[in-house]
Amino acid sequence: MNNKLYKLMNWPEIEEIIYSDGDDPHRILGAHKMGNSYLIQTFLPGAQKVLIRIEGRANDVEMEMADDAGFFAALVPYREKMKYRYIATDENGVEYESADPYAFPPLITREDTIRFGNGTLYHAFEKLGAHPMTRDGVKGVEFAVWAPDVARVSVIGEWNNWDGRFHQMQQVDRSGIFEIFVPYAKPGNAYQYEIKTKRGILYKKTDPFAFRLKDVHGDVSIITEDPEFAWTDDAFLAGRRKFKKNEAAVSIGEIYLEDFAAWHSQNSKGKERANCHDIAADVISYVKKCGYSTIVLLPVMEHHVANPYEVTGYFALSETVGTAADLKYFVNELHAAGVRVLIDWAPVTFPAKDMGLACYNGEALYEYGGDKGIQPHTGYHIFDYGRKQVISYLLSNAIYWVDTFHVDGFRFPDIAKVIYLDYDRGPGGWTPNVYGGNENLEALEFFRQFSEIMHKRDAGILTIVRETACYPQVTAELEEGGLGFAFKVNNGWSEDFLRYLEHDPIRRSGAHNELTFSLLYCYTERFLLALGSDLLPGGVRSLMDRLPGDEEAREAGVRQAIAYMYTHPGGKLLYAGAEEILGRDSRLPVMIETLEKIYEKEPALHVLDRSEDGFEWINCMSRDECMLSFLRKGKKASENLVVVANFAGVEQEFIVGVPNDGKYREIFNSDDKKFGGSGTVNRGTIEAHRRAEDGRLYSINLKLAPLSLAIYNYTPYTEQEKKIRAIKEQDEIKKEEERAEKLAQLKRRKEKEQEKLLEDLKLRYEKELAAQEKAIEEKYAKIEEERVKKILNSKKK
């Protein structure tokens, strides 16, 4: 080897490269100015010969092999902005060409690393991950990954035969972020990161920021490009910002895209496997049939085959959904149809998967260390909310779905699992926070930070959360000390209601409080009522399977259950299932669409939905009749609705107290024939009677079919009707008075007749008594006379 070249080379650092033990290969590899020359070094394992082809120079420069492991070096004259490539020959004599990865400095700046480290790099997905680009005329891919406290990180893939000795990455500013530009890597290539710990253990990991994963387990990342797309939803997004969560009618249809894909494949001659682009029209048809204003998609991120909530790639679009272009088209079409699109998002736990986030750098990184980082019973890892880089990861993930795909919000799984340190843990199985409490203060701060960022970006972005341990103020505003979520799923209502419905109607009287208990707390949060896939995995069919009775009774029970949800305070969420709605014989969507229109049209069902002023019981005590009646109230009395439900298994007639005199009309009955019922309805105008019932002066007479619910609107009398009504009432009062007078006269006449009868009876009695006394006296006088005669005759003898 050239003596000058030999002296310029740093052999300890070269050895670090050869043994793949360093975190700064750029310090050695590439071109480095040495006086009037460039020292160019490269490590190409398996290469037998390497030439440097310098742009603008006629002859190639052959490099010297400094180590037979594949380390080459050469000195070339210095030239400003010199561009060069390697021409290498491998051990099989095959020649290949490549630009030098180490000729490209990192793109991640110190500011980026600082913001990533303090939890505010909200567009981290633009910096980390794999990004195809062209640098200095060279096409390739920029890779960056966060893996602190390790000896070395390499990107491995198809282009380097999955060999971690190639493309060793540079740690940027001691931040734990490793970066490299790989020439000629391209979209569609599979890749992983090979991470070598300081103990010398090798791990192969997928890219946490990968936009695509491959194979059934999602163990390999795929380089993708964000496709250009001509969005046409500006007007929709502008309108979204005006959403009023306290007054709006919020109805959500839960969608599992794979349901629709399967239905599409069975009922069309299209692709064998449909994606979200293919089924957009089907979903819109479903939404229009039901009248939903919003849908929520079960996880669209890459997930475990058996469990859609076991997310394996938070930025990776599931292969079953389609490409990024497909999802953009889908959302754009739904927005054109006036429908909001929410997605399930799980920044709570992630699976203990070897190739995934778990122990990413050989130890707990994205998750808490020790038992705190493992959720009991499931074994899933809990995100480390105290590590700011994890916060950057999660927040940027949410922003990615909003910015890239224009989604309108998120639904969270049960956050109680992470906001309580003792959740599912026995005594001694958890460590209190700094104040001695059981709250995970870091998790709570994360959720508040998430809400603050989303509110600032767009107040119309909906956030729905499940929280099963009754943490207070989940939906309260941040200024009030709350977590700032838009809606909280009312788990108590769902569980109590379904449990009540499972009782045979003849035994429901003993479970009446399961119907009424929710009204004691339903205004403590901004609640969302949910009959979703978590409770009803088969949609409507699962609900039917839980109900007692024959097919007809169970169908009636389904109709009543859905109708009751729509009239109970709170937003609405329903998972019906694609087959139930798109099937030609189904009449359920007709009923849901009718309820949706009523829900949207009638202010009483939503304008005071988050206020106690919007609800009033009429009768919640008739447990033996299995009936309920209540008022849903608007801001004006004329907006009020009367709701009556018959949960018994028999037809019943009710006298229902109403708050106002006036006209009532049945605007909905779940037993209507057009919904599949028997047709027991109350048609026409129902006038209130001045007859006290349920503590009210007026009442109406109704007949309800078994397992049915009806809604009645109220119309006050017009002035003319009031006058006519007053005249009628006066006539009725006069007739009543006349009737009362006649009754009084009759009563008086009867009283006189009774008095005369009594007098006659008395006189008759007295006469009879006098006659009896006279007869007795005469009898005794005669007896005495006879006795005296006998005595006198005796003396004469």
Side-chain angles (χ1 to χ4, degrees), residues 511-551:
H512 197 67
N513 64 314
E514 292 175 347
L515 271 182
T516 60
F517 182 68
S518 59
L519 271 301
L520 295 177
Y521 63 83
C522 70
Y523 295 107
T524 58
E525 296 278 6
R526 198 180 298 108
F527 276 118
L528 182 80
L529 309 179
L531 294 175
S533 60
D534 55 331
L535 295 171
L536 306 171
V540 169
R541 181 53 54 183
S542 289
L543 178 56
M544 284 190 66
D545 291 343
R546 296 179 69 158
L547 301 181
D550 58 20
E551 186 80 2

Side-chain angles (χ1 to χ4, degrees), residues 13-151:
E13 291 186 349
I14 291 172
E15 196 167 282
E16 186 179 83
I17 297 294
I18 293 171
Y19 289 101
S20 305
D21 278 335
D23 64 358
D24 190 10
H26 283 70
R27 188 175 70 251
I28 298 296
L29 301 177
H32 296 271
K33 189 173 182 294
M34 298 288 183
N36 294 324
S37 302
Y38 269 129
L39 172 60
I40 302 178
Q41 300 175 97
T42 186
F43 183 46
L44 299 174
Q48 302 301 305
K49 178 182 179 181
V50 178
L51 302 176
I52 303 174
R53 183 164 293 168
I54 301 172
E55 188 176 287
R57 180 169 174 169
N59 300 319
D60 296 336
V61 176
E62 184 171 354
M63 303 185 75
E64 295 190 45
M65 181 182 284
D67 191 287
D68 57 12
F71 196 93
F72 294 82
L75 274 176
V76 300
Y78 174 78
R79 180 187 296 179
E80 188 76 21
K81 298 181 180 180
M82 183 182 71
K83 294 183 179 181
Y84 64 95
R85 291 169 298 175
Y86 297 125
I87 311 298
T89 304
D90 66 18
E91 52 199 3
N92 296 319
V94 177
E95 187 177 274
Y96 61 93
E97 181 178 334
S98 174
D100 188 354
Y102 301 98
F104 301 92
L107 295 180
I108 291 178
T109 65
R110 177 174 174 78
E111 181 183 357
D112 293 332
T113 63
I114 291 172
R115 292 183 60 197
F116 186 71
N118 63 25
T120 60
L121 191 62
Y122 300 140
H123 286 78
F125 58 90
E126 295 177 351
K127 303 291 184 177
L128 285 86
H131 299 279
M133 62 181 63
T134 300
R135 297 187 64 177
D136 291 336
V138 177
K139 290 184 177 181
V141 177
E142 186 79 17
F143 293 93
V145 64
W146 177 57
D149 301 319
V150 298

Side-chain angles (χ1 to χ4, degrees), residues 252-256 286 296 298 309 411 532-534 573-575:
I252 302 172
E254 187 178 49
I255 301 289
Y256 190 31
Y286 170 99
V296 58
L298 273 72
Y309 291 97
R411 179 175 64 171
S533 60
D534 55 331
L573 184 146
L574 178 65
Y575 175 58

